[in-house]
Amino acid sequence: MARDVTDSTPIGSKEELISWIAAGEKPESRFRIGTEHEKFPFYSRDLAPVPYEGRAGAGGIGALLEGMQQRLGWEPIVDAGSIIGLGGPDGGGAISLEPGGQFELSGAPLEDIHQTQAELASHLADVKAVAEPHGIGFAALGASPLWSRAETPVMPKGRYKIMANYMPKVGTMGLDMMFRTCTVQVNLDFASEADMVRKLRVSLALQPLATALFATSPFLEGKLNGFQSMRSEIWRHTDNDRSGMLAFAFDEGMSYEAYVDWALDVPMYFVKRGETYHDVAGASFRDLLAGKLKQLPGECATMSDWANHLSTMFPEVRLKRFLEMRGADAGPADMLTALPAFWVGLLYDRGALDAAWDLVKGWSAAERQALRDAVPKLGLEATIAGRKLADIAAEVLELSRAGLARRARRDASGHDESIYLAPVQDILERRQTLAQRLEARYRAEWGGKVEPVFSELAL
């Protein structure tokens, strides 16, 4: 997230929290696609991580942001005197930092995947032009393959200090999540509460499938880690109060209010007043809403507080004023475009959405959870309801392809958006995920070394 929301409007009731989410409803003609991806910066000469301040003879993360600001003219986002992100014009995208220096593009809300592909190509060209004079490259995969947590730099961002202090209290791998993972996500719209519920249920049920298809993280600290998506496994041990499969979303009567009730009971991280982050980790938003937060006596909740609190929920699919698909590892450039194409085909076409719901509606909460737990290790070999995930994936990919074809958004050459599913189709035809392909190369031509992955998955 590039910046915290600024809206000092006081909140007087839970209904206002519900209305804030409901305000995201849009007619289908205004549905947009917002793609976010993260990547690991590294010094090309020795594959060392890139600190904020840089090192002798080479700039660091701060210099990259300054260079991008000069190149793009975007507004700098500053935290305690340090530039920690850039905001594009008219809300049209942003660049931000994850805790360990992961460099993130939060894309603009776009109309089709062709525009997403163009945005990605432009961003990569810009960031390469700025990074190369510093000897910096970028690799996109789900987990940091080489550096220990101690070797990983720490970015100067106030909210991350609070999170880093809290994470070890609620899970065993929260710091690994913060400092050593990268993802690709897509943010998609809904037309009504019923539309939100249908999309949320389908995307939650199928999120483990996306995890398997996009798995790219079989390495950690220079060796195999035993998983295809170490990033997904890390999330299982981060903070179960605010992550997971949201079993309640499948309950009868699921609504905006049900999500709000869940979010109200998720412990807070911080309250921001002015430029100061007040550490209230573990506190209840209900107390802030009632003006009874003991860490900040007399302070009442604002819309900023609510929006910022929602940004600290980490379920497999997150609801704000749109739905965020959160299950995939970052990967090579073609996979960064394939991820939004996959979900747009399923969720933005009514026929595909209904067919996907018919496919998953019989799965129980226990089956969905068992699949989520199995996928980080087993990938497409995991099973649910007596079926192998690879076979379900082939069926779901065809639904997505048909949905994109019916959308009929064509580029200058006449291709619809389904062309961007090609790398996922290749994975299914091979019955081999990218993680398995990387593991095979590690065992064979790489001679038990992970260093070649930096060039294999370079952006």
Side-chain angles (χ1 to χ4, degrees):
M1 184 174 178
R3 71 176 89 197
D4 296 312
V5 173
T6 302
D7 183 348
S8 60
T9 304
I11 300 171
S13 66
K14 186 177 78 169
E15 286 67 31
E16 292 175 60
L17 308 181
I18 297 168
S19 295
W20 188 92
I21 294 176
E25 294 177 359
K26 296 179 176 66
E28 289 189 25
S29 61
R30 291 179 52 210
F31 281 4
R32 294 295 182 263
I33 305 159
T35 305
E36 306 179 21
H37 85 269
E38 301 160 358
K39 46 203 173 290
F40 293 108
F42 62 92
Y43 288 115
S44 302
R45 180 167 59 85
D46 58 4
L47 305 183
V50 179
Y52 185 86
E53 302 82 6
R55 67 182 187 183
I61 299 295
L64 291 182
L65 287 170
E66 291 170 358
M68 290 294 283
Q69 196 278 327
Q70 293 171 8
R71 185 176 180 89
L72 301 175
W74 288 9
E75 177 188 356
I77 302 167
V78 177
D79 188 334
S82 298
I83 181 172
I84 50 93
L86 300 170
D90 302 319
I95 293 170
S96 60
L97 300 179
E98 292 301 303
Q102 304 96 313
F103 212 76
E104 179 178 6
L105 173 69
S106 297
L110 303 174
E111 295 182 8
D112 57 52
I113 308 298
H114 306 303
Q115 292 179 4
T116 301
Q117 169 64 24
E119 177 188 60
L120 175 63
S122 178
H123 170 74
L124 293 180
D126 287 333
V127 80
K128 287 178 184 178
V130 170
E132 285 178 353
H134 299 286
I136 294 173
F138 296 89
L141 64 168
S144 172
L146 186 59
W147 316 312
S148 69
R149 196 193 300 162
E151 292 170 323
T152 303
V154 177
M155 296 299 106
K157 200 166 176 179
R159 65 187 283 166
Y160 293 157
K161 295 177 184 177
I162 296 170
M163 291 173 65
N165 182 59
Y166 183 70
M167 285 294 181
K169 301 174 183 177
V170 292
T172 59
M173 302 191 81
L175 296 179
D176 296 294
M177 179 279 292
M178 291 179 65
F179 292 98
R180 298 204 286 179
T181 64
C182 280
T183 185
V184 54
Q185 300 176 188
V186 64
N187 305 324
L188 298 175
D189 291 316
F190 46 84
S192 65
E193 186 171 55
D195 188 42
M196 180 278 293
V197 171
R198 177 63 63 95
K199 288 173 176 174
L200 178 63
R201 288 172 171 170
V202 167
S203 54
L204 279 169
L206 293 177
Q207 210 62 216
L209 187 152
T211 299
L213 285 173
F214 289 82
T216 63
S217 46
F219 308 123
L220 201 69
E221 297 189 16
K223 57 184 181 294
L224 293 171
N225 57 41
F227 295 90
Q228 295 187 45
S229 176
M230 187 65 197
R231 182 203 61 82
S232 185
E233 177 65 11
I234 285 169
W235 271 111
R236 292 182 63 236
H237 307 279
T238 291
D239 182 349
N240 291 332
D241 285 338
R242 66 185 73 243
S243 58
M245 292 289 285
L246 299 185
F248 71 85
F250 295 82
D251 292 345
E252 186 176 355
M254 173 59 188
S255 61
Y256 296 136
E257 183 175 10
Y259 191 88
V260 166
D261 284 336
W262 172 74
L264 282 172
D265 288 328
V266 173
M268 298 177 70
Y269 284 150
F270 64 85
V271 173
K272 189 178 183 185
R273 290 293 180 265
E275 298 303 313
T276 301
Y277 288 89
H278 296 275
D279 186 346
V280 300
S284 168
F285 197 95
R286 294 184 189 274
D287 287 343
L288 180 62
L289 190 60
K292 297 178 180 179
L293 193 65
K294 65 180 181 180
Q295 294 94 331
L296 293 172
E299 281 291 329
C300 293
T302 68
M303 285 300 179
S304 289
D305 297 327
W306 179 235
N308 293 335
H309 182 55
L310 288 179
S311 77
T312 69
M313 310 293 110
F314 304 128
E316 292 294 292
V317 181
R318 179 162 62 186
L319 173 62
K320 295 196 287 192
R321 283 175 161 171
F322 42 81
L323 290 165
E324 301 181 3
M325 309 295 113
R326 298 177 48 83
D329 287 6
D334 59 352
M335 294 294 277
L336 298 181
T337 311
L339 187 279
F342 175 79
W343 287 114
V344 165
L346 286 176
L347 302 187
Y348 274 6
D349 175 78
R350 177 56 60 180
L353 180 61
D354 289 344
W357 175 241
D358 286 340
L359 178 66
V360 306
K361 66 184 180 182
W363 298 350
S364 70
E367 287 174 322
R368 292 191 299 270
Q369 187 61 53
L371 180 66
R372 167 68 183 90
D373 293 340
V375 153
K377 182 180 285 289
L378 297 180
L380 293 170
E381 294 300 305
T383 61
I384 185 170
R387 297 185 66 192
K388 189 169 287 188
L389 195 55
D391 296 328
I392 298 171
E395 186 175 340
V396 171
L397 185 63
E398 185 52 40
L399 293 179
S400 176
R401 185 192 313 282
L404 293 172
R406 285 191 290 269
R407 271 171 55 85
R409 306 294 177 90
R410 301 188 182 278
D411 64 12
S413 300
H415 299 116
D416 66 44
E417 297 160 300
S418 65
I419 59 171
Y420 301 109
L421 297 176
V424 182
Q425 182 66 46
D426 181 63
I427 286 168
L428 288 177
E429 289 174 357
R430 296 190 188 206
R431 291 284 178 126
Q432 186 182 50
T433 65
L434 287 178
Q436 291 173 310
R437 223 174 292 176
L438 293 171
E439 178 179 345
R441 300 195 70 185
Y442 168 90
R443 294 183 184 277
E445 61 260 44
W446 294 356
K449 302 288 186 182
V450 304
E451 286 80 0
V453 80
F454 284 90
S455 54
E456 182 73 12
L457 295 186
L459 291 176

